[in-house]
Amino acid sequence: MAKQAWLMKSEPDVFSLQDLKSRPRQTEPWDGVRNYQARNFMRDSMKLGDPVLFYHSNTNPPGVAGLAKVSSGPKPDLLAFDKKSKYFDPKSDPDNPRWLLVDVKYVAEFPNYVALNLLKEDPQLEGMLVAKRWQRLSIQPVDWDHLLRVLELGGLDEGLLKS
DNA sequence: GCCAACGTTGGC
DNA sequence: GCCAACGTTGGC
């Protein structure tokens, strides 16, 4: 059974790795996902403690800012029930929520930000989804050896994965 | 700000 | 249930 890692995208202007770090428990529900494939990863596949590469999109340059981890099981995305939220979804029934999420907890910021162009150029990262053109999915599975390589590029010791 | 890709919506 | 139109993502 291979260990699974993940990559989760966020626009740093909206919610950055530094924002996660400054939360009281350094934990935040990953709300606002309105894509079924991404939801299914959170609902069905993520395990407590799985490592998460925190990716900054829509910024210059885009890239992986650091490491986080899955810190809850699946639970309803409450924004779907909030009429004032841009993520409100009238089709999500509180008794049978359409949108589920997990909590994500800060682990560490990379000493070296790993920009997208580095991911694309690195031969060891060939096939990594985020490095492919037109890959828009905001939550992606990451192979374990790709995770280790990105940690190395970021300047983090893989011992952090054991915490 | 452009625009390719692609997921979603809704008319039929 | 097809598929055109529309909206969103996200790199550039």
Side-chain angles (χ1 to χ4, degrees):
Chain A
M1 184 196 78
K3 288 179 287 185
Q4 185 62 62
W6 305 94
L7 178 142
M8 298 171 89
K9 296 182 186 173
S10 184
E11 301 188 19
D13 290 347
V14 179
F15 188 75
S16 68
L17 179 67
Q18 292 73 28
D19 292 329
L20 181 63
K21 183 181 183 180
S22 62
R23 284 292 188 268
R25 293 166 41 251
Q26 300 193 322
T27 296
E28 187 77 357
W30 201 262
D31 51 25
V33 169
R34 295 294 177 267
N35 170 281
Y36 291 106
Q37 212 179 338
R39 178 206 64 184
N40 293 348
F41 284 136
M42 293 197 283
R43 187 189 62 187
D44 306 330
S45 307
M46 286 187 172
K47 300 282 184 293
L48 212 59
D50 278 356
V52 172
L53 295 173
F54 197 113
Y55 182 88
H56 283 174
S57 64
N58 249 306
T59 188
N60 191 15
V64 182
L67 184 66
K69 65 180 177 184
V70 176
S71 63
S72 82
K75 53 190 192 179
D77 182 342
L78 300 178
L79 293 185
F81 310 128
D82 178 359
K83 285 201 170 67
K84 294 190 295 285
S85 169
K86 68 178 279 203
Y87 297 112
F88 174 65
D89 182 356
K91 293 179 201 151
S92 187
D93 174 1
D95 294 327
N96 182 21
R98 171 180 295 207
W99 301 111
L100 301 177
L101 53 71
V102 298
D103 284 346
V104 169
K105 184 174 168 104
Y106 175 85
V107 176
E109 185 172 355
F110 283 172
N112 316 312
Y113 181 81
V114 183
L116 177 61
N117 70 307
L118 284 178
L119 298 175
K120 287 183 170 174
E121 287 166 6
D122 195 303
Q124 291 185 47
L125 295 178
E126 201 174 343
M128 191 176 180
L129 286 179
V130 74
K132 289 187 176 163
R133 229 166 122 83
W134 310 128
Q135 181 49 71
R136 299 186 306 162
L137 194 58
S138 67
I139 298 179
Q140 305 176 359
V142 172
D143 293 346
W144 199 259
D145 57 337
H146 288 164
L147 169 74
L148 295 180
R149 177 58 176 159
V150 175
L151 288 184
E152 186 181 1
L153 292 172
L156 278 189
D157 191 288
E158 64 179 82
L160 276 169
L161 297 174
K162 299 193 174 65
S163 59

CSV table of all heavy atoms in Angstrom, one decimal, chain A residues 13-67:
chain,number,residue,atom,x,y,z
A,13,ASP,N,-3.6,35.6,-2.5
A,13,ASP,CA,-4.3,36.8,-2.2
A,13,ASP,C,-5.6,36.5,-1.4
A,13,ASP,O,-6.1,37.4,-0.7
A,13,ASP,CB,-4.8,37.5,-3.5
A,13,ASP,CG,-3.6,38.1,-4.2
A,13,ASP,OD1,-2.5,38.2,-3.6
A,13,ASP,OD2,-3.7,38.5,-5.4
A,14,VAL,N,-6.1,35.3,-1.5
A,14,VAL,CA,-7.3,34.9,-0.8
A,14,VAL,C,-7.0,34.1,0.4
A,14,VAL,O,-7.4,34.5,1.5
A,14,VAL,CB,-8.2,34.0,-1.7
A,14,VAL,CG1,-9.4,33.5,-1.0
A,14,VAL,CG2,-8.5,34.7,-3.0
A,15,PHE,N,-6.1,33.1,0.3
A,15,PHE,CA,-5.7,32.4,1.5
A,15,PHE,C,-4.3,31.7,1.2
A,15,PHE,O,-4.2,30.9,0.4
A,15,PHE,CB,-6.7,31.3,1.8
A,15,PHE,CG,-6.4,30.6,3.1
A,15,PHE,CD1,-6.7,31.2,4.3
A,15,PHE,CD2,-5.9,29.3,3.1
A,15,PHE,CE1,-6.4,30.6,5.5
A,15,PHE,CE2,-5.6,28.7,4.3
A,15,PHE,CZ,-5.9,29.3,5.5
A,16,SER,N,-3.3,32.2,1.9
A,16,SER,CA,-1.9,31.8,1.7
A,16,SER,C,-1.5,30.8,2.8
A,16,SER,O,-2.1,30.6,3.8
A,16,SER,CB,-1.0,33.0,1.7
A,16,SER,OG,-0.9,33.5,3.0
A,17,LEU,N,-0.3,30.2,2.5
A,17,LEU,CA,0.3,29.3,3.6
A,17,LEU,C,0.5,30.1,4.8
A,17,LEU,O,0.4,29.6,5.9
A,17,LEU,CB,1.6,28.7,3.0
A,17,LEU,CG,2.3,27.8,4.0
A,17,LEU,CD1,1.5,26.5,4.3
A,17,LEU,CD2,3.7,27.5,3.5
A,18,GLN,N,0.9,31.4,4.7
A,18,GLN,CA,1.2,32.2,5.8
A,18,GLN,C,-0.1,32.5,6.6
A,18,GLN,O,-0.1,32.6,7.8
A,18,GLN,CB,1.8,33.6,5.4
A,18,GLN,CG,3.3,33.4,4.8
A,18,GLN,CD,3.3,32.8,3.5
A,18,GLN,OE1,2.4,32.9,2.7
A,18,GLN,NE2,4.4,32.0,3.2
A,19,ASP,N,-1.2,32.6,5.9
A,19,ASP,CA,-2.5,32.8,6.6
A,19,ASP,C,-2.8,31.5,7.4
A,19,ASP,O,-3.3,31.6,8.5
A,19,ASP,CB,-3.6,33.0,5.5
A,19,ASP,CG,-3.5,34.3,4.8
A,19,ASP,OD1,-3.1,35.3,5.4
A,19,ASP,OD2,-4.0,34.4,3.7
A,20,LEU,N,-2.5,30.4,6.8
A,20,LEU,CA,-2.8,29.1,7.6
A,20,LEU,C,-1.9,29.1,8.8
A,20,LEU,O,-2.4,28.7,9.9
A,20,LEU,CB,-2.4,27.9,6.7
A,20,LEU,CG,-2.7,26.5,7.3
A,20,LEU,CD1,-4.1,26.3,7.6
A,20,LEU,CD2,-2.2,25.4,6.3
A,21,LYS,N,-0.6,29.5,8.6
A,21,LYS,CA,0.3,29.5,9.8
A,21,LYS,C,-0.2,30.4,10.9
A,21,LYS,O,0.0,30.1,12.1
A,21,LYS,CB,1.7,29.9,9.3
A,21,LYS,CG,2.7,29.9,10.4
A,21,LYS,CD,4.1,30.4,9.8
A,21,LYS,CE,5.2,30.3,10.9
A,21,LYS,NZ,6.5,30.8,10.3
A,22,SER,N,-0.8,31.5,10.6
A,22,SER,CA,-1.2,32.4,11.6
A,22,SER,C,-2.6,32.1,12.2
A,22,SER,O,-3.0,32.9,13.1
A,22,SER,CB,-1.2,33.8,11.0
A,22,SER,OG,-2.1,34.0,10.0
A,23,ARG,N,-3.3,31.1,11.7
A,23,ARG,CA,-4.5,30.7,12.4
A,23,ARG,C,-4.3,30.2,13.8
A,23,ARG,O,-3.2,29.6,14.1
A,23,ARG,CB,-5.2,29.6,11.6
A,23,ARG,CG,-5.9,30.1,10.3
A,23,ARG,CD,-7.1,31.0,10.6
A,23,ARG,NE,-7.9,31.3,9.5
A,23,ARG,CZ,-7.7,32.4,8.7
A,23,ARG,NH1,-6.7,33.2,9.0
A,23,ARG,NH2,-8.4,32.6,7.6
A,24,PRO,N,-5.2,30.4,14.7
A,24,PRO,CA,-5.0,30.0,16.1
A,24,PRO,C,-4.5,28.6,16.3
A,24,PRO,O,-3.5,28.4,17.0
A,24,PRO,CB,-6.4,30.2,16.7
A,24,PRO,CG,-7.1,31.2,15.9
A,24,PRO,CD,-6.5,31.0,14.5
A,25,ARG,N,-5.1,27.6,15.6
A,25,ARG,CA,-4.6,26.2,15.7
A,25,ARG,C,-3.8,25.8,14.5
A,25,ARG,O,-3.6,24.7,14.3
A,25,ARG,CB,-5.7,25.3,16.0
A,25,ARG,CG,-6.4,25.5,17.4
A,25,ARG,CD,-7.7,24.8,17.6
A,25,ARG,NE,-7.8,23.5,17.0
A,25,ARG,CZ,-8.5,23.2,15.9
A,25,ARG,NH1,-9.2,24.1,15.3
A,25,ARG,NH2,-8.5,22.0,15.5
A,26,GLN,N,-3.4,26.8,13.7
A,26,GLN,CA,-2.7,26.6,12.4
A,26,GLN,C,-3.5,25.6,11.5
A,26,GLN,O,-2.9,24.8,10.8
A,26,GLN,CB,-1.3,26.1,12.7
A,26,GLN,CG,-0.5,27.2,13.4
A,26,GLN,CD,1.0,26.9,13.4
A,26,GLN,OE1,1.4,25.8,13.5
A,26,GLN,NE2,1.8,28.0,13.3
A,27,THR,N,-4.8,25.7,11.7
A,27,THR,CA,-5.7,24.7,11.0
A,27,THR,C,-6.8,25.5,10.4
A,27,THR,O,-7.3,26.4,11.0
A,27,THR,CB,-6.2,23.7,12.0
A,27,THR,OG1,-5.2,22.9,12.6
A,27,THR,CG2,-7.3,22.8,11.4
A,28,GLU,N,-7.3,25.0,9.2
A,28,GLU,CA,-8.4,25.7,8.5
A,28,GLU,C,-9.2,24.6,7.7
A,28,GLU,O,-8.6,23.8,7.1
A,28,GLU,CB,-7.8,26.7,7.6
A,28,GLU,CG,-8.8,27.6,6.9
A,28,GLU,CD,-9.4,28.7,7.9
A,28,GLU,OE1,-9.0,28.7,9.1
A,28,GLU,OE2,-10.2,29.5,7.4
A,29,PRO,N,-10.5,24.7,7.7
A,29,PRO,CA,-11.3,23.9,6.8
A,29,PRO,C,-11.1,24.4,5.4
A,29,PRO,O,-11.1,25.6,5.1
A,29,PRO,CB,-12.7,24.1,7.3
A,29,PRO,CG,-12.7,25.4,8.1
A,29,PRO,CD,-11.3,25.6,8.6
A,30,TRP,N,-10.8,23.4,4.5
A,30,TRP,CA,-10.5,23.7,3.1
A,30,TRP,C,-11.8,24.0,2.3
A,30,TRP,O,-12.2,23.2,1.5
A,30,TRP,CB,-9.7,22.6,2.5
A,30,TRP,CG,-9.0,23.1,1.3
A,30,TRP,CD1,-9.3,22.9,0.0
A,30,TRP,CD2,-7.7,23.7,1.3
A,30,TRP,NE1,-8.4,23.5,-0.9
A,30,TRP,CE2,-7.4,24.0,-0.1
A,30,TRP,CE3,-6.8,24.2,2.3
A,30,TRP,CZ2,-6.2,24.6,-0.5
A,30,TRP,CZ3,-5.7,24.8,1.9
A,30,TRP,CH2,-5.4,25.0,0.5
A,31,ASP,N,-12.5,25.1,2.6
A,31,ASP,CA,-13.8,25.3,2.1
A,31,ASP,C,-13.8,26.0,0.7
A,31,ASP,O,-12.7,26.4,0.2
A,31,ASP,CB,-14.7,26.1,3.1
A,31,ASP,CG,-14.0,27.4,3.5
A,31,ASP,OD1,-13.1,27.9,2.8
A,31,ASP,OD2,-14.3,27.9,4.6
A,32,GLY,N,-14.9,26.0,0.1
A,32,GLY,CA,-15.1,26.6,-1.2
A,32,GLY,C,-14.8,25.7,-2.4
A,32,GLY,O,-14.9,26.2,-3.6
A,33,VAL,N,-14.4,24.5,-2.2
A,33,VAL,CA,-14.2,23.6,-3.4
A,33,VAL,C,-15.6,23.2,-4.0
A,33,VAL,O,-16.4,22.8,-3.3
A,33,VAL,CB,-13.4,22.3,-2.9
A,33,VAL,CG1,-13.4,21.3,-4.1
A,33,VAL,CG2,-12.0,22.7,-2.5
A,34,ARG,N,-15.7,23.6,-5.3
A,34,ARG,CA,-17.0,23.3,-6.0
A,34,ARG,C,-16.7,22.5,-7.2
A,34,ARG,O,-17.3,22.8,-8.3
A,34,ARG,CB,-17.7,24.6,-6.3
A,34,ARG,CG,-18.2,25.3,-5.0
A,34,ARG,CD,-19.2,24.6,-4.2
A,34,ARG,NE,-19.6,25.3,-3.0
A,34,ARG,CZ,-19.0,25.1,-1.8
A,34,ARG,NH1,-18.1,24.2,-1.7
A,34,ARG,NH2,-19.4,25.7,-0.7
A,35,ASN,N,-15.8,21.5,-7.1
A,35,ASN,CA,-15.5,20.6,-8.2
A,35,ASN,C,-15.6,19.2,-7.7
A,35,ASN,O,-15.1,18.9,-6.6
A,35,ASN,CB,-14.1,21.0,-8.7
A,35,ASN,CG,-13.6,19.9,-9.7
A,35,ASN,OD1,-13.2,18.8,-9.3
A,35,ASN,ND2,-13.6,20.2,-11.0
A,36,TYR,N,-16.3,18.4,-8.4
A,36,TYR,CA,-16.7,17.1,-7.8
A,36,TYR,C,-15.4,16.2,-7.7
A,36,TYR,O,-15.3,15.4,-6.7
A,36,TYR,CB,-17.7,16.4,-8.7
A,36,TYR,CG,-19.1,17.0,-8.6
A,36,TYR,CD1,-19.6,17.8,-9.6
A,36,TYR,CD2,-19.8,16.9,-7.4
A,36,TYR,CE1,-20.8,18.4,-9.5
A,36,TYR,CE2,-21.1,17.5,-7.3
A,36,TYR,CZ,-21.5,18.3,-8.4
A,36,TYR,OH,-22.8,18.9,-8.3
A,37,GLN,N,-14.5,16.2,-8.6
A,37,GLN,CA,-13.3,15.4,-8.5
A,37,GLN,C,-12.5,15.8,-7.3
A,37,GLN,O,-12.1,14.9,-6.6
A,37,GLN,CB,-12.5,15.6,-9.8
A,37,GLN,CG,-11.8,14.3,-10.2
A,37,GLN,CD,-11.0,14.5,-11.5
A,37,GLN,OE1,-11.3,15.4,-12.3
A,37,GLN,NE2,-9.9,13.7,-11.7
A,38,ALA,N,-12.4,17.1,-7.1
A,38,ALA,CA,-11.6,17.6,-5.9
A,38,ALA,C,-12.3,17.2,-4.7
A,38,ALA,O,-11.7,16.7,-3.7
A,38,ALA,CB,-11.4,19.1,-6.0
A,39,ARG,N,-13.6,17.3,-4.7
A,39,ARG,CA,-14.4,17.0,-3.5
A,39,ARG,C,-14.2,15.5,-3.2
A,39,ARG,O,-14.1,15.1,-2.0
A,39,ARG,CB,-15.9,17.2,-3.7
A,39,ARG,CG,-16.8,16.8,-2.5
A,39,ARG,CD,-18.2,16.5,-2.9
A,39,ARG,NE,-18.3,15.3,-3.8
A,39,ARG,CZ,-19.4,14.9,-4.4
A,39,ARG,NH1,-20.5,15.5,-4.1
A,39,ARG,NH2,-19.4,13.9,-5.2
A,40,ASN,N,-14.3,14.7,-4.2
A,40,ASN,CA,-14.2,13.2,-4.0
A,40,ASN,C,-12.9,12.8,-3.4
A,40,ASN,O,-12.8,11.9,-2.6
A,40,ASN,CB,-14.4,12.5,-5.3
A,40,ASN,CG,-15.8,12.6,-5.9
A,40,ASN,OD1,-16.7,13.1,-5.1
A,40,ASN,ND2,-16.0,12.2,-7.1
A,41,PHE,N,-11.8,13.5,-3.7
A,41,PHE,CA,-10.5,13.2,-3.1
A,41,PHE,C,-10.6,13.5,-1.6
A,41,PHE,O,-10.2,12.7,-0.8
A,41,PHE,CB,-9.4,14.1,-3.7
A,41,PHE,CG,-8.9,13.6,-5.0
A,41,PHE,CD1,-8.7,14.5,-6.0
A,41,PHE,CD2,-8.7,12.3,-5.3
A,41,PHE,CE1,-8.2,14.1,-7.3
A,41,PHE,CE2,-8.2,11.9,-6.5
A,41,PHE,CZ,-8.0,12.8,-7.5
A,42,MET,N,-11.2,14.6,-1.2
A,42,MET,CA,-11.3,14.9,0.2
A,42,MET,C,-12.3,14.0,0.9
A,42,MET,O,-12.0,13.5,2.0
A,42,MET,CB,-11.8,16.4,0.4
A,42,MET,CG,-10.8,17.4,-0.1
A,42,MET,SD,-11.1,19.1,0.6
A,42,MET,CE,-12.4,19.6,-0.5
A,43,ARG,N,-13.4,13.6,0.2
A,43,ARG,CA,-14.4,12.8,0.9
A,43,ARG,C,-13.9,11.3,1.0
A,43,ARG,O,-14.2,10.6,2.0
A,43,ARG,CB,-15.7,12.8,0.0
A,43,ARG,CG,-16.9,12.1,0.6
A,43,ARG,CD,-18.0,12.1,-0.3
A,43,ARG,NE,-17.7,11.3,-1.5
A,43,ARG,CZ,-18.5,11.1,-2.6
A,43,ARG,NH1,-19.6,11.8,-2.6
A,43,ARG,NH2,-18.1,10.4,-3.6
A,44,ASP,N,-13.3,10.8,-0.1
A,44,ASP,CA,-13.0,9.4,-0.2
A,44,ASP,C,-11.6,8.9,0.0
A,44,ASP,O,-11.4,7.8,0.4
A,44,ASP,CB,-13.5,8.9,-1.6
A,44,ASP,CG,-14.9,9.3,-1.9
A,44,ASP,OD1,-15.7,9.4,-1.0
A,44,ASP,OD2,-15.2,9.5,-3.1
A,45,SER,N,-10.7,9.7,-0.3
A,45,SER,CA,-9.3,9.3,-0.4
A,45,SER,C,-8.3,9.8,0.6
A,45,SER,O,-7.3,9.1,1.0
A,45,SER,CB,-8.7,9.6,-1.8
A,45,SER,OG,-9.6,9.1,-2.8
A,46,MET,N,-8.5,11.0,1.1
A,46,MET,CA,-7.6,11.6,2.0
A,46,MET,C,-7.6,10.9,3.4
A,46,MET,O,-8.7,10.6,3.9
A,46,MET,CB,-7.8,13.1,2.2
A,46,MET,CG,-7.4,13.9,1.0
A,46,MET,SD,-7.6,15.7,1.3
A,46,MET,CE,-6.8,16.3,-0.2
A,47,LYS,N,-6.5,10.7,4.0
A,47,LYS,CA,-6.4,10.1,5.3
A,47,LYS,C,-5.7,11.1,6.2
A,47,LYS,O,-4.9,11.9,5.9
A,47,LYS,CB,-5.5,8.8,5.2
A,47,LYS,CG,-6.0,7.7,4.3
A,47,LYS,CD,-7.2,7.0,4.9
A,47,LYS,CE,-7.7,5.8,4.0
A,47,LYS,NZ,-8.3,6.3,2.8
A,48,LEU,N,-6.2,11.0,7.5
A,48,LEU,CA,-5.6,11.8,8.5
A,48,LEU,C,-4.1,11.8,8.5
A,48,LEU,O,-3.5,10.7,8.5
A,48,LEU,CB,-6.1,11.3,9.9
A,48,LEU,CG,-6.4,12.4,11.0
A,48,LEU,CD1,-7.4,13.4,10.6
A,48,LEU,CD2,-6.9,11.7,12.3
A,49,GLY,N,-3.5,12.9,8.5
A,49,GLY,CA,-2.0,12.9,8.5
A,49,GLY,C,-1.3,12.9,7.1
A,49,GLY,O,-0.1,13.1,7.0
A,50,ASP,N,-2.1,12.7,6.1
A,50,ASP,CA,-1.5,12.7,4.7
A,50,ASP,C,-0.8,14.0,4.5
A,50,ASP,O,-1.4,15.1,4.8
A,50,ASP,CB,-2.6,12.5,3.6
A,50,ASP,CG,-3.0,11.1,3.4
A,50,ASP,OD1,-2.4,10.2,4.1
A,50,ASP,OD2,-3.9,10.8,2.6
A,51,PRO,N,0.4,14.0,3.9
A,51,PRO,CA,1.1,15.3,3.6
A,51,PRO,C,0.4,16.0,2.4
A,51,PRO,O,-0.1,15.4,1.5
A,51,PRO,CB,2.5,14.9,3.2
A,51,PRO,CG,2.5,13.4,3.2
A,51,PRO,CD,1.2,12.8,3.6
A,52,VAL,N,0.4,17.3,2.5
A,52,VAL,CA,-0.2,18.2,1.5
A,52,VAL,C,0.8,19.2,1.1
A,52,VAL,O,1.4,20.0,1.9
A,52,VAL,CB,-1.4,18.9,2.1
A,52,VAL,CG1,-1.9,20.0,1.1
A,52,VAL,CG2,-2.5,17.9,2.5
A,53,LEU,N,1.1,19.3,-0.2
A,53,LEU,CA,1.9,20.4,-0.7
A,53,LEU,C,1.0,21.6,-0.9
A,53,LEU,O,0.0,21.5,-1.6
A,53,LEU,CB,2.5,20.0,-2.1
A,53,LEU,CG,3.6,18.9,-2.0
A,53,LEU,CD1,4.0,18.4,-3.4
A,53,LEU,CD2,4.8,19.3,-1.2
A,54,PHE,N,1.3,22.7,-0.3
A,54,PHE,CA,0.5,23.9,-0.4
A,54,PHE,C,1.0,24.8,-1.5
A,54,PHE,O,2.0,25.3,-1.5
A,54,PHE,CB,0.6,24.7,1.0
A,54,PHE,CG,-0.5,25.7,1.2
A,54,PHE,CD1,-1.5,25.5,2.2
A,54,PHE,CD2,-0.6,26.8,0.4
A,54,PHE,CE1,-2.5,26.4,2.4
A,54,PHE,CE2,-1.6,27.7,0.6
A,54,PHE,CZ,-2.5,27.5,1.7
A,55,TYR,N,0.1,24.8,-2.6
A,55,TYR,CA,0.5,25.5,-3.8
A,55,TYR,C,-0.2,26.8,-4.0
A,55,TYR,O,-1.4,27.0,-3.7
A,55,TYR,CB,0.0,24.5,-5.0
A,55,TYR,CG,0.4,25.0,-6.4
A,55,TYR,CD1,1.6,24.7,-6.9
A,55,TYR,CD2,-0.5,25.7,-7.1
A,55,TYR,CE1,1.9,25.1,-8.2
A,55,TYR,CE2,-0.2,26.2,-8.4
A,55,TYR,CZ,1.0,25.9,-8.9
A,55,TYR,OH,1.3,26.3,-10.2
A,56,HIS,N,0.6,27.8,-4.3
A,56,HIS,CA,0.1,29.1,-4.6
A,56,HIS,C,-0.1,29.3,-6.1
A,56,HIS,O,0.8,29.3,-6.9
A,56,HIS,CB,1.1,30.2,-4.1
A,56,HIS,CG,1.1,30.3,-2.6
A,56,HIS,ND1,1.9,31.2,-1.9
A,56,HIS,CD2,0.2,29.8,-1.6
A,56,HIS,CE1,1.7,31.1,-0.6
A,56,HIS,NE2,0.6,30.3,-0.4
A,57,SER,N,-1.4,29.5,-6.4
A,57,SER,CA,-1.8,29.7,-7.8
A,57,SER,C,-2.1,31.2,-8.1
A,57,SER,O,-2.3,31.9,-7.1
A,57,SER,CB,-2.9,28.8,-8.2
A,57,SER,OG,-4.1,29.2,-7.5
A,58,ASN,N,-2.2,31.5,-9.3
A,58,ASN,CA,-2.6,32.9,-9.7
A,58,ASN,C,-1.8,33.9,-9.0
A,58,ASN,O,-2.3,35.0,-8.5
A,58,ASN,CB,-4.1,33.1,-9.4
A,58,ASN,CG,-4.9,33.2,-10.6
A,58,ASN,OD1,-4.6,34.0,-11.5
A,58,ASN,ND2,-6.0,32.4,-10.7
A,59,THR,N,-0.5,33.7,-9.0
A,59,THR,CA,0.5,34.6,-8.4
A,59,THR,C,1.7,34.5,-9.3
A,59,THR,O,1.8,33.6,-10.1
A,59,THR,CB,0.7,34.3,-6.9
A,59,THR,OG1,1.5,35.3,-6.4
A,59,THR,CG2,1.4,33.0,-6.8
A,60,ASN,N,2.6,35.4,-9.0
A,60,ASN,CA,3.8,35.4,-9.9
A,60,ASN,C,5.1,35.3,-9.0
A,60,ASN,O,5.4,36.3,-8.3
A,60,ASN,CB,3.9,36.6,-10.7
A,60,ASN,CG,4.9,36.6,-11.8
A,60,ASN,OD1,5.5,35.5,-12.1
A,60,ASN,ND2,5.3,37.7,-12.4
A,61,PRO,N,5.8,34.2,-9.1
A,61,PRO,CA,5.5,33.0,-9.8
A,61,PRO,C,4.6,32.1,-9.0
A,61,PRO,O,4.7,32.0,-7.8
A,61,PRO,CB,6.9,32.4,-10.1
A,61,PRO,CG,7.7,32.7,-8.9
A,61,PRO,CD,7.2,34.1,-8.4
A,62,PRO,N,3.8,31.3,-9.7
A,62,PRO,CA,3.1,30.2,-9.0
A,62,PRO,C,4.1,29.1,-8.5
A,62,PRO,O,5.1,29.0,-9.2
A,62,PRO,CB,2.1,29.6,-10.1
A,62,PRO,CG,2.8,30.0,-11.4
A,62,PRO,CD,3.5,31.2,-11.2
A,63,GLY,N,3.7,28.4,-7.5
A,63,GLY,CA,4.6,27.4,-7.0
A,63,GLY,C,4.2,26.8,-5.6
A,63,GLY,O,3.2,27.3,-5.0
A,64,VAL,N,5.0,25.9,-5.2
A,64,VAL,CA,4.7,25.2,-3.9
A,64,VAL,C,5.4,26.0,-2.8
A,64,VAL,O,6.6,26.3,-2.8
A,64,VAL,CB,5.2,23.8,-3.8
A,64,VAL,CG1,4.9,23.1,-2.5
A,64,VAL,CG2,4.6,23.0,-5.0
A,65,ALA,N,4.6,26.5,-1.8
A,65,ALA,CA,5.1,27.4,-0.7
A,65,ALA,C,5.5,26.6,0.5
A,65,ALA,O,6.4,27.1,1.3
A,65,ALA,CB,4.0,28.4,-0.4
A,66,GLY,N,5.0,25.4,0.7
A,66,GLY,CA,5.4,24.7,1.9
A,66,GLY,C,4.5,23.4,2.1
A,66,GLY,O,3.8,23.0,1.2
A,67,LEU,N,4.6,22.9,3.3
A,67,LEU,CA,4.0,21.6,3.6
A,67,LEU,C,2.9,21.8,4.7
A,67,LEU,O,3.0,22.6,5.6
A,67,LEU,CB,5.1,20.7,4.2
A,67,LEU,CG,4.7,19.3,4.5
A,67,LEU,CD1,4.3,18.5,3.2
A,67,LEU,CD2,5.8,18.5,5.2
